Amino acid sequence: MPESWRNALPALLATLLGLLVHPLVLPRLGGLPGARFVLPALAAATVVSLALAARKPSERFVAAGAVAVLVGLGYDAARGQAGTLTLAIGEAAHLFDEQGPNGAALGLRPLGFEVRLDAYDGVTAELALPGGRALLRKERAVLEGGVTLAQPRSVHTGEAARLRLAVTQPEGRQEVSLVPPDPVRAGDLEIALDRYFPDFALDDQRQPYSRSLDPVNPAALLKVRSPSAVFSVFVIRSMPGVHIQPGLPATFALVDVDPLVALQIAVFREPLAPLCLLGLVVVGCGVALGIRRS
Amino acid sequence: VTVLSFASALLFALAACVEAYPLEGRDLARPARLLGWLGALAQLPLLFDDSQRARALACIGVSLLAPASPAFLLAACLAFLSWMGDPGPGGIPVLFVSCAAVAAGRAVSREARATLVGESGAEWAGAASGLLGALLVLSVERGGVVSWRLALGGAPLPGVSLLLGIAFLLCFLGGLLLAASALAGSGGMAGLLGRRALVLACGFMLLGAGLGTLLRLPPGPPVAHPLVRLWAAAGLLVLGVMELVRLEDRAEEGEGGTDTGWALLLALVALVAAGIDAWTSQGTVLGGAVPGLLAATLLGLGAWKEGPLPLARTATFVLGLAYLLVVRA
């Protein structure tokens, strides 16, 4: 290869790679065939060209740092893990839902330790870890056993923590709170939750289902036990008293729902992240040396 | 702490300006170094303050080890941060990216001055820089200047918006006049007026940034980020435009290389800071501003290395940094 080409190649390859990995361009490349091979190949070619063109100590520093960054990013992309962990208060887990690069679910993966959520006030989550208690906040991640736990946020589980029901009987109207799975009494009636739909809808076969886990259009199927028989009663918040059961001297309305909230935590395992940062520092030293010499 | 940090920031900024613009060819490296030493001297008492020690050490180290314009600029920014207080999450990378953008802006202007042929070419470049300068002023707080209701950290600053609005109009007017002069044949009154309009625009931009800083003196809402971005826009405009309107001395090809190196070094520091920030807050080194900064740093590496089309590569680097300051802000 001519000397002029060998010197010019790193500049051209680095510029091309910089343009391709830019956040404005990279998402548009994802759908192109072979994109997942082109970028690593281009990154490797850039680093190799930097190493081949290195003549001065500053250039050798830059090349060595670039190799470290490439190895770190490549290893973490291939062998690193990312996913989410969902915990209710008091719940413990040692597995998390792993996700692929495009957010595709890859199944459950062991964390390597057990984590328990002791408390969560909407801002700070108190976690019990093998190394002791740790406070997890939105702006502060927790590192444990090579795994980083971060970005805590509340998510709806699709279940109800409490349903407020209005029961209208010949004696009058009363409101009761139903906390599943325990039944609640209203006069001589015993009410229990059979099924809950946070975002109620009917499918093509007129079968009920929930469109999402968020309590947008909550509805429930109740099991009502009267002294004479057991009835199934359907209640939906948007239509109070819609379902009247013959033989049951009461109507029911779903007044409100407290959705069951859990904490979702992002999980990352990037074992060579420190090597990436160290590589960048070495590249910086090379650039500083180059400036000093020039 | 406040007075010393502010005085130190002013001294470092003055040192950067003196080193960058020698008057009538006179070498002002020694006066610049002296100003830098005075700035470092003002930082010495801050070494005894636990919360300021790291920044003070960085200021003194940078100004003594590398007495060059971008280094003084970096020291001025660090002193400015000490004066402003906590920069908040992501504040440190924004500061370094701003410094890198200013250094890269100067590099691209020097490359342009070296590459351009004849006065007509320089006028076209001046026209382009005027129009780009207008866009740059427009980018401050996402076009707040045009609607005359510029607010930094939620507090309206009508006086500042007036100054920046005039800077915007002068940039636009200067760009148009230089383009008209280049079209009609160089050397006319339009070219002279265009250049003067651009210099005036720089003055109004600096006045606006200065007034904005004085009006937002602590105590008040934490506005370190918007102020840093405002100063970055002012620095980019001043260093970029002032280099291009100096037509009389043609720069040597590759003269912008050292500035590109400084800009790359600052971008690398910003990348490391953003990486640590993302790792400790978001759990992954590839979170937050890191993807954009990684792309900008690669563009900077491409601009720093020797090769064809140096002007285009340096301009791409500046655009990569400007994206981080304007779009991701």
Side-chain angles (χ1 to χ4, degrees), chain B residues 18-48:
Chain B
V18 168
E19 207 271 339
Y21 293 106
L23 291 172
E24 293 173 1
R26 272 188 290 174
D27 185 13
L28 293 181
R30 282 180 67 185
R33 206 172 296 158
L34 184 68
L35 284 167
W37 287 343
L38 286 175
L41 203 63
Q43 287 283 323
L44 280 179
L46 303 183
L47 288 173
F48 299 101

PDB file of all heavy atoms in Angstrom, chain B residues 18-48:
ATOM      1  N   VAL B  18      -6.041  36.910  24.292  1.00  0.00           N
ATOM      2  CA  VAL B  18      -4.765  37.531  23.951  1.00  0.00           C
ATOM      3  C   VAL B  18      -3.894  36.553  23.155  1.00  0.00           C
ATOM      4  O   VAL B  18      -3.266  36.909  22.157  1.00  0.00           O
ATOM      5  CB  VAL B  18      -4.040  37.997  25.244  1.00  0.00           C
ATOM      6  CG1 VAL B  18      -2.598  38.367  24.962  1.00  0.00           C
ATOM      7  CG2 VAL B  18      -4.783  39.173  25.849  1.00  0.00           C
ATOM      8  N   GLU B  19      -3.896  35.288  23.584  1.00  0.00           N
ATOM      9  CA  GLU B  19      -3.071  34.292  22.899  1.00  0.00           C
ATOM     10  C   GLU B  19      -3.612  34.010  21.498  1.00  0.00           C
ATOM     11  O   GLU B  19      -2.852  33.761  20.566  1.00  0.00           O
ATOM     12  CB  GLU B  19      -3.032  33.014  23.743  1.00  0.00           C
ATOM     13  CG  GLU B  19      -1.797  32.167  23.554  1.00  0.00           C
ATOM     14  CD  GLU B  19      -1.930  31.157  22.438  1.00  0.00           C
ATOM     15  OE1 GLU B  19      -3.069  30.823  22.061  1.00  0.00           O
ATOM     16  OE2 GLU B  19      -0.896  30.712  21.939  1.00  0.00           O
ATOM     17  N   ALA B  20      -4.953  34.087  21.368  1.00  0.00           N
ATOM     18  CA  ALA B  20      -5.582  33.736  20.088  1.00  0.00           C
ATOM     19  C   ALA B  20      -5.423  34.850  19.061  1.00  0.00           C
ATOM     20  O   ALA B  20      -5.325  34.581  17.869  1.00  0.00           O
ATOM     21  CB  ALA B  20      -7.066  33.434  20.305  1.00  0.00           C
ATOM     22  N   TYR B  21      -5.445  36.119  19.497  1.00  0.00           N
ATOM     23  CA  TYR B  21      -5.429  37.235  18.550  1.00  0.00           C
ATOM     24  C   TYR B  21      -4.277  38.193  18.804  1.00  0.00           C
ATOM     25  O   TYR B  21      -4.451  39.244  19.397  1.00  0.00           O
ATOM     26  CB  TYR B  21      -6.765  37.983  18.608  1.00  0.00           C
ATOM     27  CG  TYR B  21      -7.863  37.132  18.099  1.00  0.00           C
ATOM     28  CD1 TYR B  21      -8.789  36.566  18.959  1.00  0.00           C
ATOM     29  CD2 TYR B  21      -7.952  36.844  16.750  1.00  0.00           C
ATOM     30  CE1 TYR B  21      -9.772  35.735  18.490  1.00  0.00           C
ATOM     31  CE2 TYR B  21      -8.923  36.012  16.270  1.00  0.00           C
ATOM     32  CZ  TYR B  21      -9.835  35.457  17.149  1.00  0.00           C
ATOM     33  OH  TYR B  21     -10.784  34.622  16.679  1.00  0.00           O
ATOM     34  N   PRO B  22      -3.086  37.838  18.356  1.00  0.00           N
ATOM     35  CA  PRO B  22      -1.958  38.764  18.516  1.00  0.00           C
ATOM     36  C   PRO B  22      -2.217  40.033  17.697  1.00  0.00           C
ATOM     37  O   PRO B  22      -2.660  39.954  16.553  1.00  0.00           O
ATOM     38  CB  PRO B  22      -0.762  37.974  17.965  1.00  0.00           C
ATOM     39  CG  PRO B  22      -1.328  36.872  17.169  1.00  0.00           C
ATOM     40  CD  PRO B  22      -2.701  36.611  17.655  1.00  0.00           C
ATOM     41  N   LEU B  23      -1.968  41.176  18.322  1.00  0.00           N
ATOM     42  CA  LEU B  23      -2.250  42.448  17.663  1.00  0.00           C
ATOM     43  C   LEU B  23      -1.165  42.778  16.639  1.00  0.00           C
ATOM     44  O   LEU B  23       0.025  42.795  16.992  1.00  0.00           O
ATOM     45  CB  LEU B  23      -2.326  43.568  18.710  1.00  0.00           C
ATOM     46  CG  LEU B  23      -3.522  43.514  19.653  1.00  0.00           C
ATOM     47  CD1 LEU B  23      -3.355  44.545  20.742  1.00  0.00           C
ATOM     48  CD2 LEU B  23      -4.807  43.749  18.897  1.00  0.00           C
ATOM     49  N   GLU B  24      -1.568  43.010  15.402  1.00  0.00           N
ATOM     50  CA  GLU B  24      -0.690  43.426  14.303  1.00  0.00           C
ATOM     51  C   GLU B  24       0.570  42.557  14.245  1.00  0.00           C
ATOM     52  O   GLU B  24       1.699  43.062  14.173  1.00  0.00           O
ATOM     53  CB  GLU B  24      -0.322  44.907  14.465  1.00  0.00           C
ATOM     54  CG  GLU B  24      -1.532  45.803  14.277  1.00  0.00           C
ATOM     55  CD  GLU B  24      -1.226  47.261  14.590  1.00  0.00           C
ATOM     56  OE1 GLU B  24      -0.077  47.563  14.935  1.00  0.00           O
ATOM     57  OE2 GLU B  24      -2.154  48.061  14.493  1.00  0.00           O
ATOM     58  N   GLY B  25       0.358  41.269  14.366  1.00  0.00           N
ATOM     59  CA  GLY B  25       1.462  40.332  14.192  1.00  0.00           C
ATOM     60  C   GLY B  25       2.401  40.230  15.377  1.00  0.00           C
ATOM     61  O   GLY B  25       3.363  39.475  15.349  1.00  0.00           O
ATOM     62  N   ARG B  26       2.168  41.005  16.458  1.00  0.00           N
ATOM     63  CA  ARG B  26       3.071  40.936  17.612  1.00  0.00           C
ATOM     64  C   ARG B  26       2.794  39.663  18.413  1.00  0.00           C
ATOM     65  O   ARG B  26       1.626  39.300  18.609  1.00  0.00           O
ATOM     66  CB  ARG B  26       2.884  42.168  18.502  1.00  0.00           C
ATOM     67  CG  ARG B  26       3.785  43.318  18.066  1.00  0.00           C
ATOM     68  CD  ARG B  26       3.730  44.434  19.063  1.00  0.00           C
ATOM     69  NE  ARG B  26       2.455  45.110  19.043  1.00  0.00           N
ATOM     70  CZ  ARG B  26       2.097  46.049  19.895  1.00  0.00           C
ATOM     71  NH1 ARG B  26       2.910  46.397  20.851  1.00  0.00           N
ATOM     72  NH2 ARG B  26       0.923  46.625  19.818  1.00  0.00           N
ATOM     73  N   ASP B  27       3.823  39.011  18.853  1.00  0.00           N
ATOM     74  CA  ASP B  27       3.657  37.780  19.619  1.00  0.00           C
ATOM     75  C   ASP B  27       3.283  38.134  21.057  1.00  0.00           C
ATOM     76  O   ASP B  27       4.074  38.742  21.775  1.00  0.00           O
ATOM     77  CB  ASP B  27       4.967  36.982  19.587  1.00  0.00           C
ATOM     78  CG  ASP B  27       4.794  35.640  20.264  1.00  0.00           C
ATOM     79  OD1 ASP B  27       3.630  35.264  20.521  1.00  0.00           O
ATOM     80  OD2 ASP B  27       5.806  34.974  20.540  1.00  0.00           O
ATOM     81  N   LEU B  28       2.073  37.772  21.436  1.00  0.00           N
ATOM     82  CA  LEU B  28       1.607  38.103  22.788  1.00  0.00           C
ATOM     83  C   LEU B  28       1.554  36.860  23.676  1.00  0.00           C
ATOM     84  O   LEU B  28       0.751  36.778  24.596  1.00  0.00           O
ATOM     85  CB  LEU B  28       0.233  38.765  22.718  1.00  0.00           C
ATOM     86  CG  LEU B  28       0.199  40.153  22.048  1.00  0.00           C
ATOM     87  CD1 LEU B  28      -1.198  40.711  22.072  1.00  0.00           C
ATOM     88  CD2 LEU B  28       1.128  41.112  22.767  1.00  0.00           C
ATOM     89  N   ALA B  29       2.405  35.880  23.352  1.00  0.00           N
ATOM     90  CA  ALA B  29       2.392  34.635  24.133  1.00  0.00           C
ATOM     91  C   ALA B  29       2.788  34.911  25.591  1.00  0.00           C
ATOM     92  O   ALA B  29       2.208  34.332  26.513  1.00  0.00           O
ATOM     93  CB  ALA B  29       3.341  33.621  23.512  1.00  0.00           C
ATOM     94  N   ARG B  30       3.783  35.812  25.789  1.00  0.00           N
ATOM     95  CA  ARG B  30       4.241  36.061  27.166  1.00  0.00           C
ATOM     96  C   ARG B  30       3.177  36.763  28.003  1.00  0.00           C
ATOM     97  O   ARG B  30       2.911  36.345  29.134  1.00  0.00           O
ATOM     98  CB  ARG B  30       5.557  36.845  27.161  1.00  0.00           C
ATOM     99  CG  ARG B  30       6.739  35.910  26.846  1.00  0.00           C
ATOM    100  CD  ARG B  30       8.045  36.643  26.831  1.00  0.00           C
ATOM    101  NE  ARG B  30       8.427  37.135  28.138  1.00  0.00           N
ATOM    102  CZ  ARG B  30       9.500  37.897  28.347  1.00  0.00           C
ATOM    103  NH1 ARG B  30      10.258  38.242  27.342  1.00  0.00           N
ATOM    104  NH2 ARG B  30       9.792  38.303  29.553  1.00  0.00           N
ATOM    105  N   PRO B  31       2.559  37.857  27.476  1.00  0.00           N
ATOM    106  CA  PRO B  31       1.453  38.462  28.251  1.00  0.00           C
ATOM    107  C   PRO B  31       0.328  37.470  28.534  1.00  0.00           C
ATOM    108  O   PRO B  31      -0.249  37.476  29.625  1.00  0.00           O
ATOM    109  CB  PRO B  31       0.977  39.594  27.359  1.00  0.00           C
ATOM    110  CG  PRO B  31       2.111  39.905  26.470  1.00  0.00           C
ATOM    111  CD  PRO B  31       2.870  38.646  26.283  1.00  0.00           C
ATOM    112  N   ALA B  32       0.026  36.604  27.547  1.00  0.00           N
ATOM    113  CA  ALA B  32      -1.037  35.605  27.748  1.00  0.00           C
ATOM    114  C   ALA B  32      -0.657  34.659  28.879  1.00  0.00           C
ATOM    115  O   ALA B  32      -1.481  34.327  29.737  1.00  0.00           O
ATOM    116  CB  ALA B  32      -1.276  34.827  26.457  1.00  0.00           C
ATOM    117  N   ARG B  33       0.628  34.247  28.860  1.00  0.00           N
ATOM    118  CA  ARG B  33       1.091  33.332  29.912  1.00  0.00           C
ATOM    119  C   ARG B  33       1.018  34.013  31.276  1.00  0.00           C
ATOM    120  O   ARG B  33       0.635  33.400  32.265  1.00  0.00           O
ATOM    121  CB  ARG B  33       2.529  32.917  29.596  1.00  0.00           C
ATOM    122  CG  ARG B  33       2.895  31.566  30.177  1.00  0.00           C
ATOM    123  CD  ARG B  33       4.242  31.118  29.671  1.00  0.00           C
ATOM    124  NE  ARG B  33       4.242  30.912  28.234  1.00  0.00           N
ATOM    125  CZ  ARG B  33       5.336  30.939  27.477  1.00  0.00           C
ATOM    126  NH1 ARG B  33       6.493  31.179  27.998  1.00  0.00           N
ATOM    127  NH2 ARG B  33       5.250  30.721  26.191  1.00  0.00           N
ATOM    128  N   LEU B  34       1.366  35.303  31.298  1.00  0.00           N
ATOM    129  CA  LEU B  34       1.327  36.062  32.552  1.00  0.00           C
ATOM    130  C   LEU B  34      -0.113  36.127  33.087  1.00  0.00           C
ATOM    131  O   LEU B  34      -0.358  35.917  34.288  1.00  0.00           O
ATOM    132  CB  LEU B  34       1.877  37.477  32.315  1.00  0.00           C
ATOM    133  CG  LEU B  34       2.000  38.355  33.555  1.00  0.00           C
ATOM    134  CD1 LEU B  34       3.063  37.832  34.499  1.00  0.00           C
ATOM    135  CD2 LEU B  34       2.322  39.796  33.156  1.00  0.00           C
ATOM    136  N   LEU B  35      -1.046  36.395  32.164  1.00  0.00           N
ATOM    137  CA  LEU B  35      -2.467  36.426  32.583  1.00  0.00           C
ATOM    138  C   LEU B  35      -2.896  35.059  33.117  1.00  0.00           C
ATOM    139  O   LEU B  35      -3.650  34.956  34.093  1.00  0.00           O
ATOM    140  CB  LEU B  35      -3.347  36.840  31.398  1.00  0.00           C
ATOM    141  CG  LEU B  35      -3.321  38.321  31.033  1.00  0.00           C
ATOM    142  CD1 LEU B  35      -3.961  38.551  29.674  1.00  0.00           C
ATOM    143  CD2 LEU B  35      -4.075  39.134  32.092  1.00  0.00           C
ATOM    144  N   GLY B  36      -2.416  33.998  32.436  1.00  0.00           N
ATOM    145  CA  GLY B  36      -2.719  32.628  32.888  1.00  0.00           C
ATOM    146  C   GLY B  36      -2.185  32.378  34.281  1.00  0.00           C
ATOM    147  O   GLY B  36      -2.856  31.793  35.132  1.00  0.00           O
ATOM    148  N   TRP B  37      -0.934  32.831  34.536  1.00  0.00           N
ATOM    149  CA  TRP B  37      -0.345  32.656  35.882  1.00  0.00           C
ATOM    150  C   TRP B  37      -1.165  33.406  36.933  1.00  0.00           C
ATOM    151  O   TRP B  37      -1.369  32.909  38.029  1.00  0.00           O
ATOM    152  CB  TRP B  37       1.091  33.162  35.893  1.00  0.00           C
ATOM    153  CG  TRP B  37       2.059  32.266  35.164  1.00  0.00           C
ATOM    154  CD1 TRP B  37       1.847  30.954  34.815  1.00  0.00           C
ATOM    155  CD2 TRP B  37       3.360  32.595  34.684  1.00  0.00           C
ATOM    156  NE1 TRP B  37       2.926  30.460  34.140  1.00  0.00           N
ATOM    157  CE2 TRP B  37       3.889  31.434  34.048  1.00  0.00           C
ATOM    158  CE3 TRP B  37       4.138  33.736  34.713  1.00  0.00           C
ATOM    159  CZ2 TRP B  37       5.142  31.408  33.452  1.00  0.00           C
ATOM    160  CZ3 TRP B  37       5.405  33.700  34.128  1.00  0.00           C
ATOM    161  CH2 TRP B  37       5.895  32.544  33.503  1.00  0.00           C
ATOM    162  N   LEU B  38      -1.606  34.623  36.565  1.00  0.00           N
ATOM    163  CA  LEU B  38      -2.425  35.395  37.517  1.00  0.00           C
ATOM    164  C   LEU B  38      -3.734  34.656  37.813  1.00  0.00           C
ATOM    165  O   LEU B  38      -4.195  34.610  38.955  1.00  0.00           O
ATOM    166  CB  LEU B  38      -2.722  36.791  36.948  1.00  0.00           C
ATOM    167  CG  LEU B  38      -1.547  37.778  36.956  1.00  0.00           C
ATOM    168  CD1 LEU B  38      -1.926  39.064  36.255  1.00  0.00           C
ATOM    169  CD2 LEU B  38      -1.119  38.070  38.395  1.00  0.00           C
ATOM    170  N   GLY B  39      -4.319  34.081  36.755  1.00  0.00           N
ATOM    171  CA  GLY B  39      -5.548  33.283  36.944  1.00  0.00           C
ATOM    172  C   GLY B  39      -5.294  32.103  37.862  1.00  0.00           C
ATOM    173  O   GLY B  39      -6.087  31.803  38.764  1.00  0.00           O
ATOM    174  N   ALA B  40      -4.133  31.428  37.644  1.00  0.00           N
ATOM    175  CA  ALA B  40      -3.776  30.278  38.491  1.00  0.00           C
ATOM    176  C   ALA B  40      -3.543  30.731  39.931  1.00  0.00           C
ATOM    177  O   ALA B  40      -3.918  30.040  40.885  1.00  0.00           O
ATOM    178  CB  ALA B  40      -2.531  29.608  37.930  1.00  0.00           C
ATOM    179  N   LEU B  41      -2.936  31.931  40.075  1.00  0.00           N
ATOM    180  CA  LEU B  41      -2.682  32.488  41.404  1.00  0.00           C
ATOM    181  C   LEU B  41      -4.003  32.715  42.146  1.00  0.00           C
ATOM    182  O   LEU B  41      -4.107  32.424  43.347  1.00  0.00           O
ATOM    183  CB  LEU B  41      -1.928  33.818  41.247  1.00  0.00           C
ATOM    184  CG  LEU B  41      -1.104  34.289  42.435  1.00  0.00           C
ATOM    185  CD1 LEU B  41       0.026  33.316  42.737  1.00  0.00           C
ATOM    186  CD2 LEU B  41      -0.541  35.687  42.166  1.00  0.00           C
ATOM    187  N   ALA B  42      -4.995  33.213  41.414  1.00  0.00           N
ATOM    188  CA  ALA B  42      -6.304  33.457  42.038  1.00  0.00           C
ATOM    189  C   ALA B  42      -6.968  32.148  42.462  1.00  0.00           C
ATOM    190  O   ALA B  42      -7.837  32.139  43.331  1.00  0.00           O
ATOM    191  CB  ALA B  42      -7.212  34.206  41.061  1.00  0.00           C
ATOM    192  N   GLN B  43      -6.532  31.034  41.846  1.00  0.00           N
ATOM    193  CA  GLN B  43      -7.110  29.731  42.197  1.00  0.00           C
ATOM    194  C   GLN B  43      -6.450  29.120  43.438  1.00  0.00           C
ATOM    195  O   GLN B  43      -7.016  28.210  44.046  1.00  0.00           O
ATOM    196  CB  GLN B  43      -6.959  28.755  41.026  1.00  0.00           C
ATOM    197  CG  GLN B  43      -7.870  29.032  39.847  1.00  0.00           C
ATOM    198  CD  GLN B  43      -9.293  28.583  40.104  1.00  0.00           C
ATOM    199  OE1 GLN B  43      -9.517  27.556  40.737  1.00  0.00           O
ATOM    200  NE2 GLN B  43     -10.259  29.351  39.649  1.00  0.00           N
ATOM    201  N   LEU B  44      -5.255  29.610  43.786  1.00  0.00           N
ATOM    202  CA  LEU B  44      -4.501  28.977  44.886  1.00  0.00           C
ATOM    203  C   LEU B  44      -5.292  28.874  46.198  1.00  0.00           C
ATOM    204  O   LEU B  44      -5.322  27.804  46.821  1.00  0.00           O
ATOM    205  CB  LEU B  44      -3.180  29.721  45.122  1.00  0.00           C
ATOM    206  CG  LEU B  44      -2.038  29.378  44.147  1.00  0.00           C
ATOM    207  CD1 LEU B  44      -0.803  30.197  44.467  1.00  0.00           C
ATOM    208  CD2 LEU B  44      -1.705  27.895  44.207  1.00  0.00           C
ATOM    209  N   PRO B  45      -5.970  29.972  46.648  1.00  0.00           N
ATOM    210  CA  PRO B  45      -6.714  29.851  47.915  1.00  0.00           C
ATOM    211  C   PRO B  45      -7.829  28.798  47.854  1.00  0.00           C
ATOM    212  O   PRO B  45      -8.217  28.254  48.882  1.00  0.00           O
ATOM    213  CB  PRO B  45      -7.304  31.253  48.113  1.00  0.00           C
ATOM    214  CG  PRO B  45      -6.460  32.150  47.274  1.00  0.00           C
ATOM    215  CD  PRO B  45      -5.998  31.347  46.133  1.00  0.00           C
ATOM    216  N   LEU B  46      -8.317  28.510  46.629  1.00  0.00           N
ATOM    217  CA  LEU B  46      -9.408  27.533  46.511  1.00  0.00           C
ATOM    218  C   LEU B  46      -8.930  26.105  46.779  1.00  0.00           C
ATOM    219  O   LEU B  46      -9.737  25.198  46.966  1.00  0.00           O
ATOM    220  CB  LEU B  46     -10.046  27.605  45.114  1.00  0.00           C
ATOM    221  CG  LEU B  46     -10.604  28.969  44.705  1.00  0.00           C
ATOM    222  CD1 LEU B  46     -11.253  28.884  43.345  1.00  0.00           C
ATOM    223  CD2 LEU B  46     -11.648  29.438  45.721  1.00  0.00           C
ATOM    224  N   LEU B  47      -7.608  25.892  46.773  1.00  0.00           N
ATOM    225  CA  LEU B  47      -7.076  24.555  47.067  1.00  0.00           C
ATOM    226  C   LEU B  47      -7.409  24.139  48.499  1.00  0.00           C
ATOM    227  O   LEU B  47      -7.424  22.952  48.821  1.00  0.00           O
ATOM    228  CB  LEU B  47      -5.557  24.539  46.884  1.00  0.00           C
ATOM    229  CG  LEU B  47      -5.049  24.616  45.441  1.00  0.00           C
ATOM    230  CD1 LEU B  47      -3.543  24.753  45.415  1.00  0.00           C
ATOM    231  CD2 LEU B  47      -5.461  23.370  44.672  1.00  0.00           C
ATOM    232  N   PHE B  48      -7.669  25.118  49.364  1.00  0.00           N
ATOM    233  CA  PHE B  48      -7.976  24.792  50.778  1.00  0.00           C
ATOM    234  C   PHE B  48      -9.457  24.513  50.989  1.00  0.00           C
ATOM    235  O   PHE B  48      -9.870  24.183  52.084  1.00  0.00           O
ATOM    236  CB  PHE B  48      -7.517  25.948  51.681  1.00  0.00           C
ATOM    237  CG  PHE B  48      -6.042  26.194  51.585  1.00  0.00           C
ATOM    238  CD1 PHE B  48      -5.527  27.221  50.821  1.00  0.00           C
ATOM    239  CD2 PHE B  48      -5.148  25.347  52.236  1.00  0.00           C
ATOM    240  CE1 PHE B  48      -4.170  27.431  50.709  1.00  0.00           C
ATOM    241  CE2 PHE B  48      -3.779  25.543  52.132  1.00  0.00           C
ATOM    242  CZ  PHE B  48      -3.281  26.578  51.364  1.00  0.00           C
TER     243      PHE B  48
END
